[in-house]
Amino acid sequence: MPLYLTALFVLLASALAALASGRGRAANLLGPLGCLLGCLLGLFAAATALFSPAPPILRLPWSVPYGAVSLTIDPLSALFLLPVFILGAAAALYGRGYLAGLAGKRHLGGHWFFFCLMVLGMALTVCATNAVFFLVSWEIMSLAPFFLICLHHEEDRVRAAARTYLFAAHLGTAFLMAFFLILGHLAGSMEFSAMARVAPDVLRPFAPALFFLALAGFGVKAGIVPLHVWLPEAHPAAPSHVSAFMSGALIKAGVYGVLRSLTFLGPLAPWMGQTLLAIGILTGVLGLLAGIGQGELKRFLAFSSIENMGIVFLGLGLGVLAAATGHPGPALLAFSGLLFHVINHALLKGLLFFGAGSVLHAVGHGFMERLGGLSKRMPFTATACVLAGAAISGLPPGNAFFGELLIYVGGGMAAMDMPLTDAVWAWTGVAGLAFIGGLSVIGFTRAMGIVFSGEPRTTDAADAQAHDPAPLMRAAMWLLGLLALGAALAAPFLFTAMLPAARLLLAGQSTALPVLPSATVNPEALLTAAAIIAFGAAVLALVLAYARSRLLAGRSVRSHGTWDCGYILPAPRMQYTASSYAEPMTVLFRRLLGEKRLFTPPEGLFPATGSSRFASETPDRVKDGFFTPLFSAVLTACDALKRFQQGNLNLYILYLLATLVILLAIALGFAP
């Protein structure tokens, strides 16, 4: 605990030092340097707590009613601290280089103040064990990104994205306040330990309401469909190191909240698992289908984050369903798989957002239809993004493969021993995970192929002095890449490290919890065998590639233009575009997605250059069909109330008097 508190103190001191430094280069040095130091200290504290037999506890009095500064680093908290501090350190390194050109032009002191505050708020949130203190930490964590998104506040889309984020964040907080008020009333205390001890008979009538309040409140932060609308807006608008932290760590606060709230709700019920499964499949499939139709790189990555939250909730649903039907072994596998995926997604999505930021930094935008051929100018960025894209699609030997493998095995094992109705749900979850994996491969081959392969489609990509990022930005990408590789190589060890956190989710569910999930499947042996096979195949491929290069050494090799296919006058227009690559998939779900198309067919035997065109756009139907009309209605209602704002003091006194009379009448009417 002392090391964790020291890390928090360093983060706070760094925030204040950066703020006091103003707009200059000093702010862009003190902020990231202090954040890096604080995150390294916090990372060491989290790793120590993960293997500690007794979680460190701190409880200090607080004058706020029902509040107390209560902190505990149990295995679940320690596990979620890892992406916070890893992404915080990597983003600090990357952001220092990313913002170097803005010194003196933007208030970088304020930017790093809120960045350190965001990391600090999240580190407090996942360790808080008092509901009042938790909500205060949650608000710090939620408010800081608003100011980070607004770095380029002169742009309309940035201001709109920040407003959407702020509204969504507070909508979620409103649900959480209701959740904790009901639970605190039942427990007679706002301490988490008291909430976890509420008798099942007392809790049972309120369990559905509490479950859905927690799902709505934390689901907004996690970005589950249909509460995801802030995510595709905020990520493209925010600076890339902020996007990386938000996607890799911040949205995991929503996952942590759902997991922690399940430990309060007593024995898990099958309907909870079925609900989580349905949300997971819906979020994963719709997130990727919408993402495949996006034309901007960071917006696609944002939808990919939604898809990965779908995988996490799908794994959670399988685990809860297995636990509720008396299968603790498969439940442990599914819970371990989702926790594994939380870590893996943090590493890979952080790396992908850094890669997207490098493209933006070099070219000036991330519109895929105007890019192409960047692998020749940015080989390091291209290699990192392609490998991370393959890994996050669940392809072996990438680290995401191992988490999804545990979910597959856990879901399959549970399904084979369940009653028919529950087995149908479990098999649907397994099939849904496979379908999501296939969609992910399509999405990332499209994005990486269009951006990095082929020839430049416009002068933006051809004429720009595109180059790999500066050494500090590259170091951050190396850090996440090596950690992702290490997570794949050490998958069996990480599984063992995650078991205590997974077992916490089953506390109170089973009295006969096995040390390892099942005697029929040894997960450590399974992961070891999978790692050996996957990496053996990768090493074999590298050996074959090396042998090919040696055999071809000294021979003349003819090269041809990419995509020319023998045509004597190849042009970049002959390449697949982002829209045409996605067309076979989006056409299947056109009605569901509401895809808009612009197609001008070629005319004549020799159509003129530029006379034909095909482009498509996939809107966010949830946002356009529900939230935008809702927000418009709220604004209209607020505008209608402006008629009472006359600026006349006498009129305001009359309002007060009328209000007092009404309140007095109500009080007299209800008085005994």
Side-chain angles (χ1 to χ4, degrees):
M1 185 59 78
L3 198 56
Y4 167 76
L5 294 176
T6 306
L8 299 184
F9 174 78
V10 171
L11 285 170
L12 182 61
S14 305
L16 296 174
L19 185 64
S21 302
R23 307 169 66 93
R25 293 181 180 177
N28 200 34
L29 175 64
L30 291 175
L33 189 63
C35 186
L36 178 65
L37 178 61
C39 287
L40 291 177
L41 289 171
L43 191 59
F44 189 70
T48 306
L50 190 61
F51 299 100
S52 173
I57 298 173
L58 173 71
R59 193 173 194 282
L60 298 173
W62 196 17
S63 58
V64 174
Y66 304 104
V69 181
S70 296
L71 293 164
T72 299
I73 313 179
D74 64 9
L76 190 62
S77 299
L79 196 69
F80 277 84
L81 280 176
L82 295 179
V84 175
F85 290 127
I86 291 174
L87 262 297
L93 266 181
Y94 189 91
R96 157 105 175 111
Y98 192 80
L99 299 176
L102 296 180
K105 302 174 184 174
R106 302 278 170 179
H107 201 295
L108 296 186
H111 178 83
W112 284 112
F113 171 77
F114 286 112
F115 187 86
C116 293
L117 216 56
M118 176 174 66
V119 179
L120 175 70
M122 188 163 174
L124 286 171
T125 298
V126 298
C127 295
T129 55
N130 176 278
V132 177
F133 187 62
F134 177 90
L135 287 173
V136 171
S137 304
W138 183 272
E139 274 299 283
I140 294 172
M141 175 191 70
S142 298
L143 282 175
F146 169 77
F147 298 98
L148 295 169
I149 295 169
C150 286
L151 181 66
H152 298 284
H153 53 81
E154 69 279 4
E155 299 178 26
D156 290 340
R157 71 179 186 101
V158 172
R159 292 197 300 272
R163 278 198 301 269
T164 303
Y165 168 79
L166 194 63
F167 185 86
H170 284 88
L171 182 67
T173 305
F175 286 117
L176 294 184
M177 290 179 71
F179 171 78
F180 283 119
L181 281 174
I182 296 173
L183 202 54
H185 175 74
L186 296 176
S189 169
M190 298 304 275
E191 291 292 322
F192 285 0
S193 55
M195 294 177 180
R197 291 196 301 268
V198 177
D201 291 341
V202 177
L203 195 62
R204 192 169 294 114
F206 299 93
L210 288 170
F211 175 79
F212 285 106
L213 281 173
L215 198 56
F218 293 118
V220 171
K221 188 68 72 186
I224 59 173
V225 173
L227 304 172
H228 66 283
V229 290
W230 67 272
L231 228 146
E233 306 299 321
H235 284 312
S240 291
H241 60 289
V242 177
S243 301
F245 185 87
M246 289 173 67
S247 181
L250 189 75
I251 61 174
K252 305 301 190 308
V255 177
Y256 169 81
V258 172
L259 296 179
R260 183 65 73 184
S261 63
L262 286 178
T263 64
F264 302 150
L265 299 183
L268 301 174
W271 63 265
M272 294 180 182
Q274 293 160 4
T275 305
L276 291 166
L277 254 176
I279 289 174
I281 295 172
L282 188 72
T283 301
V285 173
L286 290 185
L288 257 182
L289 283 177
I292 286 173
Q294 302 303 313
E296 190 178 0
L297 184 56
K298 285 181 72 177
R299 192 171 171 84
F300 163 71
L301 293 179
F303 275 104
S304 167
S305 294
I306 295 170
E307 168 251 332
N308 279 279
M309 289 303 97
I311 293 176
V312 169
F313 276 80
L314 191 155
L316 179 60
L318 283 173
V320 170
L321 186 62
T325 52
H327 301 84
L332 268 184
L333 276 177
F335 287 148
S336 302
L338 83 89
L339 293 174
F340 212 151
H341 197 76
V342 164
I343 302 297
N344 290 332
H345 176 255
L347 300 174
L348 294 172
K349 194 47 67 67
L351 180 56
L352 284 165
F353 268 110
F354 287 167
S358 299
V359 171
L360 261 71
H361 208 255
V363 181
H365 65 81
F367 295 105
M368 288 187 263
E369 301 285 19
R370 294 163 56 187
L371 297 174
L374 287 180
S375 61
K376 300 179 182 67
R377 298 166 180 77
M378 306 174 69
F380 173 78
T381 304
T383 305
C385 287
V386 169
L387 291 178
I392 208 168
S393 299
L395 299 178
N399 50 333
F401 163 75
F402 297 97
E404 293 184 19
L405 178 64
L406 290 174
I407 298 175
Y408 275 121
V409 175
M413 284 175 58
M416 286 189 288
D417 195 32
M418 281 178 174
L420 181 61
T421 308
D422 295 323
V424 169
W425 275 99
W427 283 123
T428 303
V430 172
L433 183 57
F435 186 58
I436 292 169
L439 287 176
S440 183
V441 171
I442 294 173
F444 275 97
T445 52
R446 168 183 175 267
M448 299 300 115
I450 298 298
V451 172
F452 295 109
S453 297
E455 299 295 331
R457 290 173 174 78
T458 63
T459 54
D460 295 344
D463 296 339
Q465 297 299 316
H467 54 78
D468 276 323
L472 270 182
M473 297 163 68
R474 210 179 300 187
M477 296 175 72
W478 267 111
L479 173 65
L480 294 186
L482 290 176
L483 285 174
L485 178 63
L489 287 169
F493 169 75
L494 288 177
F495 169 77
T496 306
M498 287 174 189
L499 267 182
R503 291 170 67 86
L504 271 181
L505 302 175
L506 281 170
Q509 308 299 319
S510 172
T511 55
L513 200 61
V515 175
L516 285 177
S518 172
T520 55
V521 173
N522 185 331
E524 290 178 318
L526 174 71
L527 290 175
T528 303
I532 291 173
I533 294 171
F535 279 97
V539 170
L540 180 62
L542 290 175
V543 169
L544 291 175
Y546 177 74
R548 177 181 178 276
S549 67
R550 294 292 298 172
L551 289 173
L552 291 177
R555 299 186 181 185
S556 62
V557 178
R558 291 183 297 171
S559 61
H560 299 273
T562 309
W563 299 105
D564 68 357
C565 300
Y567 185 62
I568 59 173
L569 292 174
R573 292 180 61 250
M574 295 171 62
Q575 303 174 110
Y576 268 110
T577 64
S579 296
S580 60
Y581 188 92
E583 196 268 347
M585 179 55 65
T586 56
V587 72
L588 295 175
F589 301 94
R590 190 177 177 187
R591 290 185 181 278
L592 176 66
L593 298 174
E595 184 193 35
K596 299 175 183 175
R597 293 185 168 204
L598 174 63
F599 178 46
T600 307
E603 295 181 355
L605 294 177
F606 301 97
T609 302
S611 62
S612 63
R613 188 183 177 198
F614 174 73
S616 63
E617 181 187 358
T618 303
D620 190 337
R621 298 195 78 174
V622 176
K623 177 193 165 195
D624 296 342
F626 179 71
F627 284 101
T628 300
L630 175 65
F631 293 164
S632 298
V634 171
L635 285 175
T636 304
C638 291
D639 286 340
L641 292 176
K642 287 181 180 175
R643 69 183 63 178
F644 297 103
Q645 293 178 304
Q646 299 290 331
N648 187 326
L649 183 60
N650 295 335
L651 194 58
Y652 291 151
I653 293 174
L654 181 61
Y655 291 160
L656 289 173
L657 185 61
T659 304
L660 287 173
V661 169
I662 292 171
L663 291 175
L664 185 60
I666 292 173
L668 290 174
F670 286 95

